[in-house]
Amino acid sequence: MPSWRSRGQALGLPQFTGGFVIALCAQVLGAIVYFIGLRPHPLKVALSRGESVASTPSPAGGFTLLRTVPAARRAVLGVALSHAVMVGLMFMTPVHLTTHGATLSVVGLTISLHVAGMFALAPVVGWLADKLGRAATALATPAFTTGAAAAPSKTAFNTAGIDAALANLVRDGAVGVTTSVVGPGGTYLSAAGKRDLQKDSARPQDRARIASITKAMIAMLVMQRIEAGQWTLRTTIDQVTPGLYPGHGGVTVAQLMNHTSGMPDGIYSLLPDREWYTWTVQDLEAAVVPYHPEQELVELSRRLPWEFEPGTGWSYSNVGYVVLSMMLEAATGSRIQDVVRDRVFKPAKMQQSRLEESTLVRGRYLLPYGKFQAGLAPLPLVNPSIFSGAGGVYATAEDITDFTGALMTGRLLRKDLVDAMVTPVGAAQQARYGYGLYLINGPCRTAAGTPELLIGHDGAGFGTRVVSFTTRDASRRMALAYTGRSYVEEGQDPDAAMNAALIAGFRATCPASAPTTPASGKGPASGGAGSLRL
């Protein structure tokens, strides 16, 4: 009786298996070439943006690259051909096996195994392509791997002061720092310190959790609905989400956006009820690792007393922006993650940004660190669901300056509505807070000799601090993120060095008039070290 081996040889299975392996290798190589060919090249992006802020496009997406880059078209062609070879071999299988006398059951089993193998190996192919693609990008951009002084610049402003400020920030306790400074002649991207103390250095294109800078995006989405005639500034909670906040359904979107609603901030109920400088890393992990649905955050606030009659005072409320997110979800029928992606990230060309919703963070990012009484500790499992639309976005510093540039120049929202966003009204004037943005005095003077007005927000995440400010015409703007936030009452605190870096960035891009030290510091909504104003 013939053995299984001799039967297989008679049917030509070894030859077919060899062809399958060759086709699979072609598929793997094609995927790798595709990934490397279409991955945005940060060094080229930085250099090209240094030539002209106004005329240089953002990092191109896949379809743009296919139209403009021959290498990208060849990469896609390679993938298509490898798939064609694989499919061709699959179609040849029944003919080949039947010719050698195989039964239909053998033919069917062989095809099924090959199809199952392709699907089973697909994640492996994707993972390998991702790893090799990232490695290729890193090798192609060595200047971005060692810190601030290594990043090239073709800007028309002096960046030495910015680099020195970043070095001081690391010296004063920051673990990793990234920044994007836009000024005359281009954009300067830089980084210093470590992305992960156990792994590698920070790079300018590393993302960070930008915390409350997310609020400007949510406020802009609300204003977009006003622009479309679907809402007004007087639209109330109950008009969009009836019963969401019983007894306070008459609060308006304007009051939620500028923190004059009086809504309590129930998020703090998840944190230890004692002084912030006594918190431990275990305390924070107990609050930030679990998943928190938006409804849970609202219910936590409903257990607390209302702060004041709506419109009569000012009190910062993260849950107010959670409510705005839920209203946007109800109005659009989409998750807030998808709304932000489609209405903010895509039109602003924020290619590296995501509103995350779990402890899984996709791609490279600055690992959050906190400085506690027991020492420095990483916070690798921060779950952004604890803030939702109040502070859950991860973005690069460059993506943040892209957003403020697109917003201020009217590419995302009509000019008069942008003006409304940056104009404090009513009780919010005491805090200089508009809709999702606040005002500070910058280090430069206007032609009239008055301090220049800057518009933006800060973010204080768990283990992360971020600032972003811009001039009204977006000609000069800056974003900076650092990890290593301090949770101790005394000792080194990177916040002061962060403020100095912000001043250095705007001084570097000042017009010819003499600079002056800001009168209002970081701004009223930033809080101080450890205040957890997110």
Side-chain angles (χ1 to χ4, degrees), residues 236-249 256 263 294-302 306 319-330:
T236 66
I237 296 175
D238 273 354
Q239 286 176 331
V240 182
T241 50
L244 177 62
Y245 214 118
H248 297 283
L256 292 172
M263 183 176 288
E294 292 170 323
Q295 187 65 45
E296 175 195 349
L297 303 177
V298 174
E299 289 174 358
L300 288 172
S301 288
R302 286 166 54 180
W306 201 259
V319 172
Y321 272 79
V322 174
V323 170
L324 286 170
S325 299
M326 296 175 76
M327 293 173 69
L328 286 165
E329 288 179 327

PDB file of all heavy atoms in Angstrom, residues 236-249 256 263 294-302 306 319-330:
ATOM      1  N   THR A 236     -29.492  73.801  24.577  1.00  0.00           N
ATOM      2  CA  THR A 236     -29.355  73.256  25.930  1.00  0.00           C
ATOM      3  C   THR A 236     -29.099  71.749  25.925  1.00  0.00           C
ATOM      4  O   THR A 236     -29.282  71.073  24.903  1.00  0.00           O
ATOM      5  CB  THR A 236     -30.623  73.529  26.749  1.00  0.00           C
ATOM      6  OG1 THR A 236     -31.723  72.787  26.168  1.00  0.00           O
ATOM      7  CG2 THR A 236     -30.958  75.014  26.764  1.00  0.00           C
ATOM      8  N   ILE A 237     -28.717  71.262  27.088  1.00  0.00           N
ATOM      9  CA  ILE A 237     -28.480  69.824  27.248  1.00  0.00           C
ATOM     10  C   ILE A 237     -29.737  69.042  26.903  1.00  0.00           C
ATOM     11  O   ILE A 237     -29.700  68.060  26.148  1.00  0.00           O
ATOM     12  CB  ILE A 237     -28.026  69.505  28.692  1.00  0.00           C
ATOM     13  CG1 ILE A 237     -26.686  70.163  28.998  1.00  0.00           C
ATOM     14  CG2 ILE A 237     -27.933  67.997  28.900  1.00  0.00           C
ATOM     15  CD1 ILE A 237     -26.232  70.004  30.452  1.00  0.00           C
ATOM     16  N   ASP A 238     -30.890  69.467  27.462  1.00  0.00           N
ATOM     17  CA  ASP A 238     -32.127  68.717  27.260  1.00  0.00           C
ATOM     18  C   ASP A 238     -32.620  68.756  25.820  1.00  0.00           C
ATOM     19  O   ASP A 238     -33.326  67.837  25.377  1.00  0.00           O
ATOM     20  CB  ASP A 238     -33.226  69.252  28.191  1.00  0.00           C
ATOM     21  CG  ASP A 238     -33.193  68.569  29.556  1.00  0.00           C
ATOM     22  OD1 ASP A 238     -32.402  67.608  29.720  1.00  0.00           O
ATOM     23  OD2 ASP A 238     -33.938  69.001  30.459  1.00  0.00           O
ATOM     24  N   GLN A 239     -32.269  69.781  25.068  1.00  0.00           N
ATOM     25  CA  GLN A 239     -32.695  69.836  23.674  1.00  0.00           C
ATOM     26  C   GLN A 239     -32.005  68.770  22.827  1.00  0.00           C
ATOM     27  O   GLN A 239     -32.546  68.351  21.790  1.00  0.00           O
ATOM     28  CB  GLN A 239     -32.409  71.223  23.094  1.00  0.00           C
ATOM     29  CG  GLN A 239     -33.360  72.307  23.591  1.00  0.00           C
ATOM     30  CD  GLN A 239     -32.983  73.680  23.074  1.00  0.00           C
ATOM     31  OE1 GLN A 239     -31.809  73.966  22.814  1.00  0.00           O
ATOM     32  NE2 GLN A 239     -33.972  74.556  22.913  1.00  0.00           N
ATOM     33  N   VAL A 240     -30.845  68.342  23.251  1.00  0.00           N
ATOM     34  CA  VAL A 240     -30.076  67.355  22.472  1.00  0.00           C
ATOM     35  C   VAL A 240     -30.085  65.986  23.148  1.00  0.00           C
ATOM     36  O   VAL A 240     -30.256  64.950  22.488  1.00  0.00           O
ATOM     37  CB  VAL A 240     -28.623  67.834  22.274  1.00  0.00           C
ATOM     38  CG1 VAL A 240     -27.831  66.830  21.418  1.00  0.00           C
ATOM     39  CG2 VAL A 240     -28.596  69.211  21.638  1.00  0.00           C
ATOM     40  N   THR A 241     -29.916  65.963  24.462  1.00  0.00           N
ATOM     41  CA  THR A 241     -29.856  64.703  25.224  1.00  0.00           C
ATOM     42  C   THR A 241     -30.812  64.813  26.412  1.00  0.00           C
ATOM     43  O   THR A 241     -30.368  65.013  27.551  1.00  0.00           O
ATOM     44  CB  THR A 241     -28.427  64.415  25.708  1.00  0.00           C
ATOM     45  OG1 THR A 241     -27.921  65.605  26.361  1.00  0.00           O
ATOM     46  CG2 THR A 241     -27.505  64.063  24.557  1.00  0.00           C
ATOM     47  N   PRO A 242     -32.102  64.702  26.179  1.00  0.00           N
ATOM     48  CA  PRO A 242     -33.091  64.871  27.263  1.00  0.00           C
ATOM     49  C   PRO A 242     -32.827  63.906  28.419  1.00  0.00           C
ATOM     50  O   PRO A 242     -32.585  62.716  28.212  1.00  0.00           O
ATOM     51  CB  PRO A 242     -34.425  64.554  26.570  1.00  0.00           C
ATOM     52  CG  PRO A 242     -34.166  64.736  25.111  1.00  0.00           C
ATOM     53  CD  PRO A 242     -32.740  64.379  24.894  1.00  0.00           C
ATOM     54  N   GLY A 243     -32.864  64.452  29.636  1.00  0.00           N
ATOM     55  CA  GLY A 243     -32.718  63.624  30.819  1.00  0.00           C
ATOM     56  C   GLY A 243     -31.298  63.270  31.195  1.00  0.00           C
ATOM     57  O   GLY A 243     -31.074  62.560  32.185  1.00  0.00           O
ATOM     58  N   LEU A 244     -30.314  63.747  30.441  1.00  0.00           N
ATOM     59  CA  LEU A 244     -28.929  63.403  30.755  1.00  0.00           C
ATOM     60  C   LEU A 244     -28.512  63.960  32.110  1.00  0.00           C
ATOM     61  O   LEU A 244     -27.794  63.296  32.865  1.00  0.00           O
ATOM     62  CB  LEU A 244     -27.991  63.944  29.660  1.00  0.00           C
ATOM     63  CG  LEU A 244     -26.486  63.728  29.892  1.00  0.00           C
ATOM     64  CD1 LEU A 244     -26.162  62.240  29.958  1.00  0.00           C
ATOM     65  CD2 LEU A 244     -25.666  64.400  28.791  1.00  0.00           C
ATOM     66  N   TYR A 245     -28.967  65.172  32.419  1.00  0.00           N
ATOM     67  CA  TYR A 245     -28.583  65.792  33.689  1.00  0.00           C
ATOM     68  C   TYR A 245     -29.843  66.402  34.324  1.00  0.00           C
ATOM     69  O   TYR A 245     -30.094  67.602  34.229  1.00  0.00           O
ATOM     70  CB  TYR A 245     -27.526  66.875  33.464  1.00  0.00           C
ATOM     71  CG  TYR A 245     -26.526  66.982  34.593  1.00  0.00           C
ATOM     72  CD1 TYR A 245     -25.174  66.743  34.396  1.00  0.00           C
ATOM     73  CD2 TYR A 245     -26.941  67.339  35.877  1.00  0.00           C
ATOM     74  CE1 TYR A 245     -24.262  66.835  35.443  1.00  0.00           C
ATOM     75  CE2 TYR A 245     -26.036  67.429  36.922  1.00  0.00           C
ATOM     76  CZ  TYR A 245     -24.703  67.180  36.699  1.00  0.00           C
ATOM     77  OH  TYR A 245     -23.811  67.269  37.742  1.00  0.00           O
ATOM     78  N   PRO A 246     -30.654  65.565  34.986  1.00  0.00           N
ATOM     79  CA  PRO A 246     -31.928  66.032  35.542  1.00  0.00           C
ATOM     80  C   PRO A 246     -31.749  67.233  36.468  1.00  0.00           C
ATOM     81  O   PRO A 246     -30.833  67.282  37.287  1.00  0.00           O
ATOM     82  CB  PRO A 246     -32.422  64.810  36.332  1.00  0.00           C
ATOM     83  CG  PRO A 246     -31.767  63.645  35.681  1.00  0.00           C
ATOM     84  CD  PRO A 246     -30.421  64.134  35.248  1.00  0.00           C
ATOM     85  N   GLY A 247     -32.606  68.196  36.307  1.00  0.00           N
ATOM     86  CA  GLY A 247     -32.563  69.395  37.122  1.00  0.00           C
ATOM     87  C   GLY A 247     -31.683  70.489  36.562  1.00  0.00           C
ATOM     88  O   GLY A 247     -31.750  71.643  37.012  1.00  0.00           O
ATOM     89  N   HIS A 248     -30.849  70.136  35.588  1.00  0.00           N
ATOM     90  CA  HIS A 248     -29.942  71.135  35.004  1.00  0.00           C
ATOM     91  C   HIS A 248     -29.913  71.012  33.471  1.00  0.00           C
ATOM     92  O   HIS A 248     -28.910  71.343  32.840  1.00  0.00           O
ATOM     93  CB  HIS A 248     -28.536  70.976  35.574  1.00  0.00           C
ATOM     94  CG  HIS A 248     -28.475  71.223  37.051  1.00  0.00           C
ATOM     95  ND1 HIS A 248     -28.489  72.481  37.607  1.00  0.00           N
ATOM     96  CD2 HIS A 248     -28.432  70.352  38.091  1.00  0.00           C
ATOM     97  CE1 HIS A 248     -28.443  72.392  38.932  1.00  0.00           C
ATOM     98  NE2 HIS A 248     -28.411  71.110  39.257  1.00  0.00           N
ATOM     99  N   GLY A 249     -31.012  70.543  32.913  1.00  0.00           N
ATOM    100  CA  GLY A 249     -31.078  70.365  31.459  1.00  0.00           C
ATOM    101  C   GLY A 249     -31.110  71.656  30.686  1.00  0.00           C
ATOM    102  O   GLY A 249     -30.929  71.655  29.463  1.00  0.00           O
ATOM    103  N   LEU A 256     -21.244  75.467  28.967  1.00  0.00           N
ATOM    104  CA  LEU A 256     -20.370  74.295  29.107  1.00  0.00           C
ATOM    105  C   LEU A 256     -18.997  74.576  28.512  1.00  0.00           C
ATOM    106  O   LEU A 256     -17.968  74.190  29.077  1.00  0.00           O
ATOM    107  CB  LEU A 256     -21.003  73.082  28.427  1.00  0.00           C
ATOM    108  CG  LEU A 256     -22.276  72.519  29.073  1.00  0.00           C
ATOM    109  CD1 LEU A 256     -22.898  71.454  28.181  1.00  0.00           C
ATOM    110  CD2 LEU A 256     -21.977  71.948  30.458  1.00  0.00           C
ATOM    111  N   MET A 263     -21.371  73.335  36.618  1.00  0.00           N
ATOM    112  CA  MET A 263     -21.387  71.874  36.707  1.00  0.00           C
ATOM    113  C   MET A 263     -20.186  71.380  37.510  1.00  0.00           C
ATOM    114  O   MET A 263     -19.048  71.741  37.213  1.00  0.00           O
ATOM    115  CB  MET A 263     -21.366  71.256  35.305  1.00  0.00           C
ATOM    116  CG  MET A 263     -21.460  69.727  35.295  1.00  0.00           C
ATOM    117  SD  MET A 263     -21.546  69.070  33.600  1.00  0.00           S
ATOM    118  CE  MET A 263     -23.215  69.579  33.143  1.00  0.00           C
ATOM    119  N   GLU A 294     -18.645  57.299  29.578  1.00  0.00           N
ATOM    120  CA  GLU A 294     -19.024  58.708  29.736  1.00  0.00           C
ATOM    121  C   GLU A 294     -20.181  58.868  30.724  1.00  0.00           C
ATOM    122  O   GLU A 294     -20.202  59.796  31.537  1.00  0.00           O
ATOM    123  CB  GLU A 294     -19.410  59.296  28.378  1.00  0.00           C
ATOM    124  CG  GLU A 294     -18.239  59.426  27.414  1.00  0.00           C
ATOM    125  CD  GLU A 294     -18.676  59.765  26.013  1.00  0.00           C
ATOM    126  OE1 GLU A 294     -19.730  59.256  25.579  1.00  0.00           O
ATOM    127  OE2 GLU A 294     -17.977  60.548  25.344  1.00  0.00           O
ATOM    128  N   GLN A 295     -21.144  57.946  30.656  1.00  0.00           N
ATOM    129  CA  GLN A 295     -22.297  58.032  31.542  1.00  0.00           C
ATOM    130  C   GLN A 295     -21.871  57.947  33.012  1.00  0.00           C
ATOM    131  O   GLN A 295     -22.431  58.632  33.876  1.00  0.00           O
ATOM    132  CB  GLN A 295     -23.294  56.914  31.218  1.00  0.00           C
ATOM    133  CG  GLN A 295     -24.604  57.012  31.985  1.00  0.00           C
ATOM    134  CD  GLN A 295     -25.411  58.248  31.619  1.00  0.00           C
ATOM    135  OE1 GLN A 295     -25.558  58.583  30.449  1.00  0.00           O
ATOM    136  NE2 GLN A 295     -25.946  58.930  32.627  1.00  0.00           N
ATOM    137  N   GLU A 296     -20.872  57.128  33.297  1.00  0.00           N
ATOM    138  CA  GLU A 296     -20.370  57.013  34.670  1.00  0.00           C
ATOM    139  C   GLU A 296     -19.801  58.342  35.154  1.00  0.00           C
ATOM    140  O   GLU A 296     -20.038  58.753  36.304  1.00  0.00           O
ATOM    141  CB  GLU A 296     -19.279  55.941  34.750  1.00  0.00           C
ATOM    142  CG  GLU A 296     -18.608  55.836  36.113  1.00  0.00           C
ATOM    143  CD  GLU A 296     -17.307  55.047  36.100  1.00  0.00           C
ATOM    144  OE1 GLU A 296     -17.005  54.399  35.075  1.00  0.00           O
ATOM    145  OE2 GLU A 296     -16.581  55.092  37.117  1.00  0.00           O
ATOM    146  N   LEU A 297     -19.066  59.041  34.292  1.00  0.00           N
ATOM    147  CA  LEU A 297     -18.474  60.327  34.680  1.00  0.00           C
ATOM    148  C   LEU A 297     -19.558  61.358  34.971  1.00  0.00           C
ATOM    149  O   LEU A 297     -19.439  62.159  35.911  1.00  0.00           O
ATOM    150  CB  LEU A 297     -17.539  60.820  33.574  1.00  0.00           C
ATOM    151  CG  LEU A 297     -16.400  59.873  33.188  1.00  0.00           C
ATOM    152  CD1 LEU A 297     -15.595  60.452  32.028  1.00  0.00           C
ATOM    153  CD2 LEU A 297     -15.487  59.593  34.373  1.00  0.00           C
ATOM    154  N   VAL A 298     -20.638  61.332  34.175  1.00  0.00           N
ATOM    155  CA  VAL A 298     -21.740  62.261  34.412  1.00  0.00           C
ATOM    156  C   VAL A 298     -22.439  61.921  35.727  1.00  0.00           C
ATOM    157  O   VAL A 298     -22.781  62.813  36.521  1.00  0.00           O
ATOM    158  CB  VAL A 298     -22.739  62.233  33.242  1.00  0.00           C
ATOM    159  CG1 VAL A 298     -23.958  63.092  33.545  1.00  0.00           C
ATOM    160  CG2 VAL A 298     -22.063  62.725  31.963  1.00  0.00           C
ATOM    161  N   GLU A 299     -22.639  60.644  35.984  1.00  0.00           N
ATOM    162  CA  GLU A 299     -23.306  60.238  37.225  1.00  0.00           C
ATOM    163  C   GLU A 299     -22.482  60.607  38.453  1.00  0.00           C
ATOM    164  O   GLU A 299     -23.047  60.964  39.496  1.00  0.00           O
ATOM    165  CB  GLU A 299     -23.590  58.736  37.187  1.00  0.00           C
ATOM    166  CG  GLU A 299     -24.689  58.365  36.193  1.00  0.00           C
ATOM    167  CD  GLU A 299     -24.861  56.866  36.044  1.00  0.00           C
ATOM    168  OE1 GLU A 299     -24.100  56.111  36.683  1.00  0.00           O
ATOM    169  OE2 GLU A 299     -25.755  56.449  35.271  1.00  0.00           O
ATOM    170  N   LEU A 300     -21.163  60.532  38.347  1.00  0.00           N
ATOM    171  CA  LEU A 300     -20.317  60.970  39.457  1.00  0.00           C
ATOM    172  C   LEU A 300     -20.546  62.451  39.759  1.00  0.00           C
ATOM    173  O   LEU A 300     -20.578  62.873  40.920  1.00  0.00           O
ATOM    174  CB  LEU A 300     -18.844  60.717  39.122  1.00  0.00           C
ATOM    175  CG  LEU A 300     -18.369  59.269  39.136  1.00  0.00           C
ATOM    176  CD1 LEU A 300     -16.945  59.172  38.590  1.00  0.00           C
ATOM    177  CD2 LEU A 300     -18.422  58.683  40.548  1.00  0.00           C
ATOM    178  N   SER A 301     -20.693  63.250  38.713  1.00  0.00           N
ATOM    179  CA  SER A 301     -20.939  64.682  38.908  1.00  0.00           C
ATOM    180  C   SER A 301     -22.324  64.936  39.491  1.00  0.00           C
ATOM    181  O   SER A 301     -22.512  65.846  40.310  1.00  0.00           O
ATOM    182  CB  SER A 301     -20.791  65.437  37.584  1.00  0.00           C
ATOM    183  OG  SER A 301     -19.438  65.510  37.208  1.00  0.00           O
ATOM    184  N   ARG A 302     -23.306  64.143  39.088  1.00  0.00           N
ATOM    185  CA  ARG A 302     -24.671  64.344  39.566  1.00  0.00           C
ATOM    186  C   ARG A 302     -24.793  64.106  41.071  1.00  0.00           C
ATOM    187  O   ARG A 302     -25.737  64.574  41.703  1.00  0.00           O
ATOM    188  CB  ARG A 302     -25.631  63.433  38.794  1.00  0.00           C
ATOM    189  CG  ARG A 302     -25.887  63.922  37.372  1.00  0.00           C
ATOM    190  CD  ARG A 302     -26.552  62.877  36.499  1.00  0.00           C
ATOM    191  NE  ARG A 302     -27.775  62.350  37.088  1.00  0.00           N
ATOM    192  CZ  ARG A 302     -28.531  61.413  36.497  1.00  0.00           C
ATOM    193  NH1 ARG A 302     -28.172  60.939  35.296  1.00  0.00           N
ATOM    194  NH2 ARG A 302     -29.620  60.969  37.083  1.00  0.00           N
ATOM    195  N   TRP A 306     -24.293  71.344  42.907  1.00  0.00           N
ATOM    196  CA  TRP A 306     -24.032  72.278  41.807  1.00  0.00           C
ATOM    197  C   TRP A 306     -23.228  73.455  42.344  1.00  0.00           C
ATOM    198  O   TRP A 306     -23.441  73.917  43.468  1.00  0.00           O
ATOM    199  CB  TRP A 306     -25.356  72.747  41.216  1.00  0.00           C
ATOM    200  CG  TRP A 306     -25.236  73.294  39.826  1.00  0.00           C
ATOM    201  CD1 TRP A 306     -25.201  74.599  39.462  1.00  0.00           C
ATOM    202  CD2 TRP A 306     -25.136  72.535  38.620  1.00  0.00           C
ATOM    203  NE1 TRP A 306     -25.076  74.718  38.100  1.00  0.00           N
ATOM    204  CE2 TRP A 306     -25.035  73.459  37.552  1.00  0.00           C
ATOM    205  CE3 TRP A 306     -25.115  71.175  38.326  1.00  0.00           C
ATOM    206  CZ2 TRP A 306     -24.930  73.073  36.223  1.00  0.00           C
ATOM    207  CZ3 TRP A 306     -25.002  70.779  37.012  1.00  0.00           C
ATOM    208  CH2 TRP A 306     -24.915  71.710  35.973  1.00  0.00           C
ATOM    209  N   VAL A 319     -16.099  67.478  33.256  1.00  0.00           N
ATOM    210  CA  VAL A 319     -17.332  66.763  32.930  1.00  0.00           C
ATOM    211  C   VAL A 319     -18.211  67.603  32.006  1.00  0.00           C
ATOM    212  O   VAL A 319     -18.982  67.057  31.206  1.00  0.00           O
ATOM    213  CB  VAL A 319     -18.068  66.356  34.221  1.00  0.00           C
ATOM    214  CG1 VAL A 319     -19.450  65.781  33.904  1.00  0.00           C
ATOM    215  CG2 VAL A 319     -17.254  65.311  34.971  1.00  0.00           C
ATOM    216  N   GLY A 320     -18.108  68.921  32.072  1.00  0.00           N
ATOM    217  CA  GLY A 320     -18.835  69.754  31.125  1.00  0.00           C
ATOM    218  C   GLY A 320     -18.488  69.399  29.695  1.00  0.00           C
ATOM    219  O   GLY A 320     -19.358  69.372  28.805  1.00  0.00           O
ATOM    220  N   TYR A 321     -17.221  69.079  29.431  1.00  0.00           N
ATOM    221  CA  TYR A 321     -16.805  68.695  28.083  1.00  0.00           C
ATOM    222  C   TYR A 321     -17.146  67.239  27.777  1.00  0.00           C
ATOM    223  O   TYR A 321     -17.319  66.868  26.606  1.00  0.00           O
ATOM    224  CB  TYR A 321     -15.317  68.984  27.884  1.00  0.00           C
ATOM    225  CG  TYR A 321     -15.099  70.406  27.401  1.00  0.00           C
ATOM    226  CD1 TYR A 321     -15.141  71.472  28.289  1.00  0.00           C
ATOM    227  CD2 TYR A 321     -14.915  70.687  26.062  1.00  0.00           C
ATOM    228  CE1 TYR A 321     -14.982  72.782  27.859  1.00  0.00           C
ATOM    229  CE2 TYR A 321     -14.748  71.983  25.611  1.00  0.00           C
ATOM    230  CZ  TYR A 321     -14.788  73.035  26.507  1.00  0.00           C
ATOM    231  OH  TYR A 321     -14.642  74.323  26.062  1.00  0.00           O
ATOM    232  N   VAL A 322     -17.259  66.404  28.806  1.00  0.00           N
ATOM    233  CA  VAL A 322     -17.782  65.050  28.593  1.00  0.00           C
ATOM    234  C   VAL A 322     -19.234  65.146  28.131  1.00  0.00           C
ATOM    235  O   VAL A 322     -19.661  64.442  27.199  1.00  0.00           O
ATOM    236  CB  VAL A 322     -17.671  64.213  29.883  1.00  0.00           C
ATOM    237  CG1 VAL A 322     -18.343  62.852  29.705  1.00  0.00           C
ATOM    238  CG2 VAL A 322     -16.208  64.016  30.272  1.00  0.00           C
ATOM    239  N   VAL A 323     -20.015  66.027  28.760  1.00  0.00           N
ATOM    240  CA  VAL A 323     -21.404  66.235  28.358  1.00  0.00           C
ATOM    241  C   VAL A 323     -21.479  66.752  26.920  1.00  0.00           C
ATOM    242  O   VAL A 323     -22.300  66.289  26.117  1.00  0.00           O
ATOM    243  CB  VAL A 323     -22.109  67.206  29.328  1.00  0.00           C
ATOM    244  CG1 VAL A 323     -23.472  67.630  28.783  1.00  0.00           C
ATOM    245  CG2 VAL A 323     -22.273  66.559  30.700  1.00  0.00           C
ATOM    246  N   LEU A 324     -20.613  67.701  26.566  1.00  0.00           N
ATOM    247  CA  LEU A 324     -20.583  68.190  25.181  1.00  0.00           C
ATOM    248  C   LEU A 324     -20.281  67.053  24.208  1.00  0.00           C
ATOM    249  O   LEU A 324     -20.877  66.977  23.115  1.00  0.00           O
ATOM    250  CB  LEU A 324     -19.533  69.296  25.039  1.00  0.00           C
ATOM    251  CG  LEU A 324     -19.881  70.658  25.639  1.00  0.00           C
ATOM    252  CD1 LEU A 324     -18.654  71.567  25.624  1.00  0.00           C
ATOM    253  CD2 LEU A 324     -21.040  71.314  24.895  1.00  0.00           C
ATOM    254  N   SER A 325     -19.374  66.162  24.580  1.00  0.00           N
ATOM    255  CA  SER A 325     -19.045  65.016  23.730  1.00  0.00           C
ATOM    256  C   SER A 325     -20.268  64.126  23.540  1.00  0.00           C
ATOM    257  O   SER A 325     -20.548  63.649  22.427  1.00  0.00           O
ATOM    258  CB  SER A 325     -17.904  64.212  24.346  1.00  0.00           C
ATOM    259  OG  SER A 325     -16.736  64.985  24.461  1.00  0.00           O
ATOM    260  N   MET A 326     -21.006  63.887  24.618  1.00  0.00           N
ATOM    261  CA  MET A 326     -22.201  63.046  24.525  1.00  0.00           C
ATOM    262  C   MET A 326     -23.276  63.716  23.679  1.00  0.00           C
ATOM    263  O   MET A 326     -24.005  63.048  22.932  1.00  0.00           O
ATOM    264  CB  MET A 326     -22.723  62.748  25.932  1.00  0.00           C
ATOM    265  CG  MET A 326     -21.739  61.943  26.770  1.00  0.00           C
ATOM    266  SD  MET A 326     -22.261  61.707  28.483  1.00  0.00           S
ATOM    267  CE  MET A 326     -23.525  60.443  28.265  1.00  0.00           C
ATOM    268  N   MET A 327     -23.372  65.030  23.760  1.00  0.00           N
ATOM    269  CA  MET A 327     -24.324  65.761  22.925  1.00  0.00           C
ATOM    270  C   MET A 327     -23.944  65.643  21.453  1.00  0.00           C
ATOM    271  O   MET A 327     -24.809  65.463  20.577  1.00  0.00           O
ATOM    272  CB  MET A 327     -24.383  67.227  23.358  1.00  0.00           C
ATOM    273  CG  MET A 327     -24.971  67.435  24.747  1.00  0.00           C
ATOM    274  SD  MET A 327     -24.860  69.154  25.320  1.00  0.00           S
ATOM    275  CE  MET A 327     -26.027  69.968  24.212  1.00  0.00           C
ATOM    276  N   LEU A 328     -22.654  65.754  21.156  1.00  0.00           N
ATOM    277  CA  LEU A 328     -22.196  65.615  19.769  1.00  0.00           C
ATOM    278  C   LEU A 328     -22.455  64.199  19.253  1.00  0.00           C
ATOM    279  O   LEU A 328     -22.839  64.004  18.096  1.00  0.00           O
ATOM    280  CB  LEU A 328     -20.701  65.947  19.683  1.00  0.00           C
ATOM    281  CG  LEU A 328     -20.349  67.432  19.803  1.00  0.00           C
ATOM    282  CD1 LEU A 328     -18.859  67.618  20.074  1.00  0.00           C
ATOM    283  CD2 LEU A 328     -20.754  68.193  18.542  1.00  0.00           C
ATOM    284  N   GLU A 329     -22.254  63.200  20.099  1.00  0.00           N
ATOM    285  CA  GLU A 329     -22.527  61.820  19.698  1.00  0.00           C
ATOM    286  C   GLU A 329     -24.013  61.637  19.393  1.00  0.00           C
ATOM    287  O   GLU A 329     -24.385  60.991  18.399  1.00  0.00           O
ATOM    288  CB  GLU A 329     -22.091  60.860  20.802  1.00  0.00           C
ATOM    289  CG  GLU A 329     -20.580  60.739  20.934  1.00  0.00           C
ATOM    290  CD  GLU A 329     -20.151  59.808  22.044  1.00  0.00           C
ATOM    291  OE1 GLU A 329     -20.861  59.728  23.072  1.00  0.00           O
ATOM    292  OE2 GLU A 329     -19.102  59.158  21.902  1.00  0.00           O
ATOM    293  N   ALA A 330     -24.874  62.207  20.251  1.00  0.00           N
ATOM    294  CA  ALA A 330     -26.314  62.076  20.031  1.00  0.00           C
ATOM    295  C   ALA A 330     -26.747  62.788  18.753  1.00  0.00           C
ATOM    296  O   ALA A 330     -27.608  62.294  18.007  1.00  0.00           O
ATOM    297  CB  ALA A 330     -27.069  62.633  21.235  1.00  0.00           C
TER     298      ALA A 330
END
